[in-house]
Amino acid sequence: MAEIVYSELRPERQEIRLMFLEAGQPKDEIIASLMVTSLRWAPEYWTPEFEALSYVWGDPLVTRPIKLNGQPYQVTENLEAALRRLRHDDRVRIMWIDAICIDQQNPREQEHQIGLMRDIFGGCAQCIVWLGEEDHETEKVLESLHWMQDNLHVHEWPCFSKSEATKGRCGAGKDNTHGVGPALVPLWKFLRRPWFSRTWTFQEFVLPRNHEIRCGHFQIPFSLMTKARQTFRGHTSNCCKLDSASLWYLLQYLKAKLDTIVFPLDGVLHCRHNYETIDFLKVLNDNCHRKATRDHDKVYGLIGLAPPYIQKAVLPDYRLDVAAVFAQPLVAYWQTKASLRPLIYVRKHSHKFQLPSWVPDWSHAPTSRGSQALRIATYKVFNACGYERLLPIVFHDRILHVQGVCSDTVKTLCEAESMIRTKSDLFVTVRGWLEVAAKCSVQKSRRALATISKNTLWRILLLDSVEVEGTDCLMRRATESDFNTLHTELASFESDSGSLEAHQVSPLMLHVLHTIQQATLIITMNGRLGMVPLDTQIGDEIYVLAGGRMPFVLRPSQEKFSPPGSSNAQRSCHTLVGECYLDGSMDGELSVKLRDEADDVFIV
């Protein structure tokens, strides 16, 4: 069938196919034809204005027939529904649709067309987002988004009842949500539609200048979703902290879901509309939770948003190993930039792809997006390396070569309570750490316990950084006032078995909780305190690396490496554990040594 429909495209001319969707009534047969044109202007081509469709395929085994170039052609059920809804009744509609305009049986053509996605979606008249057919609750979704957009307090929503006992989130058990739970269930379901969780749809949406979001016959303005998210987030974070635990959980879930879906889209759109540089590695990280049929597409499905120097280095090729594809954006980044910021995107690997320890697993979403965002924002606050910046070198897409100095070695790990669920659990953990810190300090410098509590442990628990109020993870350095506030609140937790949910503790204490969820206290060989990744081991080394704003925990490896062109014997290697906070090494204290006595460090 494909051989009958498709003629060969010439990659050197950037040829694509456009689909002409014939006019018809709702129940008429769907008829379309294909025309080859080029994205480059040339007199032999006619390139009409066209629209691009962003959608999800659905089950490839459930198909419906259409007529394409006069021949029967099978498309998925979801695409058939979109074509039936979107065709005009009085004129032809010209569209680009991947499943129809790309020969899906030709891998080389697929790879070439993926490389043109930036130009296809960036050059279309508008992108039509097809979320699927409407259901009986779609109108209620729009209604709840308008409540959020209109800057209403939750208790001012029309559905709110002060005393009504209703079913909780999604009908799971009986809880008092004041009538809000059932009213928000349609929105909860709506945000779980597949389009919102697929990798490819992200760049398809942000590349065009104009959008039309369709759910059946309903149109949903993206501006409604962005405004709803912004005002709803403000209310649930600041003023609308109601006493119903079930309602609080539901509101927090929806806030997190809107943040996950809307915030990254809105951020990239803002960059494009204001001609600002898009942080491609951040885009990859923000979309780790999205799904793709092939793991390569975790990178290829977003490559249209990369700067030209990364696009040239990452050419779609499904024959490559996934580990090589995941490493390519970093290798290209380090061709021109000396910053080690890409290393903060490394999380605990799934071991699915045998990735080098310095390569992020772009297919593995963080367990806590809040903790991950906090970690990334905190990194920007410090400047451990001073102004030493040397371009990292990557050998064979596997071995990272950087310059650095070993600052210290992990001697003692101070473990937290296995499950910190209550305020008293947190108090017991911090008190234990405080005792260890005091013992260490008395041994080293005879300082008093009170001095330790204010100037060392509290600073370390906060990673010497605090979120600026009213911002999305914009951090500042911690102050004496923050230490005093933390000390006072924590003291009140000693015999309190209350929950540590966000609506029951201060933002400062929530910051500490996020820190403890992803790091643990250590004492080094030189008696210094720090916070390191949870999988750190005794004997791991703490390095300040050229281009690194924070120190990094590295683990000696048995692997050896001989750098090309080097007459030296094989060099020892390390594996990356992660960035860390080490008191006394965060603000360039080792920059002179890094400049004059740096060692070659090889990370595998």
Side-chain angles (χ1 to χ4, degrees), residues 31 113 131 280 334 362 398 563:
I31 300 175
Q113 293 288 290
L131 300 178
F280 181 62
W334 284 322
W362 302 121
R398 200 179 65 83

Side-chain angles (χ1 to χ4, degrees), residues 405-438:
V405 293
C406 183
S407 175
D408 221 322
T409 302
V410 177
K411 179 181 180 182
T412 304
L413 290 168
C414 305
E415 296 184 0
E417 290 288 306
S418 57
M419 292 294 291
I420 299 179
R421 293 176 175 172
T422 66
K423 296 177 181 179
S424 59
D425 289 341
L426 182 59
F427 177 86
V428 169
T429 293
V430 175
R431 182 180 61 184
W433 287 0
L434 182 59
E435 291 171 353
V436 173

Side-chain angles (χ1 to χ4, degrees), residues 2 8 122 135 190 192 221 226 250 311 316 332 362 392-393 401 416 458-459 512 530 564 568:
E8 185 176 353
D135 58 31
F190 176 78
R192 291 171 63 86
T226 56
L250 175 60
Q311 285 195 48
W362 302 121
I393 301 172
H401 175 204
W458 305 135
R459 180 169 62 246
V512 171
N568 296 333

Side-chain angles (χ1 to χ4, degrees), residues 67 110 176 178 205 207 228 247 293 364 388 396 411 422 425 437 522 553 559 566 580 590 603:
K67 186 169 287 185
Q110 286 180 304
N176 183 10
H178 298 286
F205 185 80
L207 285 171
L247 177 55
T293 303
H364 186 60
E388 289 305 307
H396 316 304
K411 179 181 180 182
T422 66
D425 289 341
I522 60 156
V553 179
E559 187 168 342
S566 173
C580 70
L590 292 177
I603 305 175

Side-chain angles (χ1 to χ4, degrees), residues 501-568:
E501 302 297 349
H503 67 307
Q504 297 187 0
V505 298
S506 70
L508 203 62
M509 191 59 67
L510 191 62
H511 179 17
V512 171
L513 186 60
H514 281 315
T515 299
I516 295 176
Q517 286 173 341
Q518 61 185 354
T520 191
L521 184 73
I522 60 156
I523 302 172
T524 68
M525 289 291 188
N526 293 323
R528 289 189 291 171
L529 301 176
M531 294 293 287
V532 297
L534 292 175
D535 49 349
T536 299
Q537 299 175 5
I538 294 173
D540 287 349
E541 298 169 347
I542 301 176
Y543 272 79
V544 173
L545 302 175
R549 286 186 167 272
M550 294 180 74
F552 290 89
V553 179
L554 302 181
R555 182 169 300 151
S557 169
Q558 294 182 349
E559 187 168 342
K560 304 293 184 180
F561 175 66
S562 295
S566 173
S567 59
N568 296 333

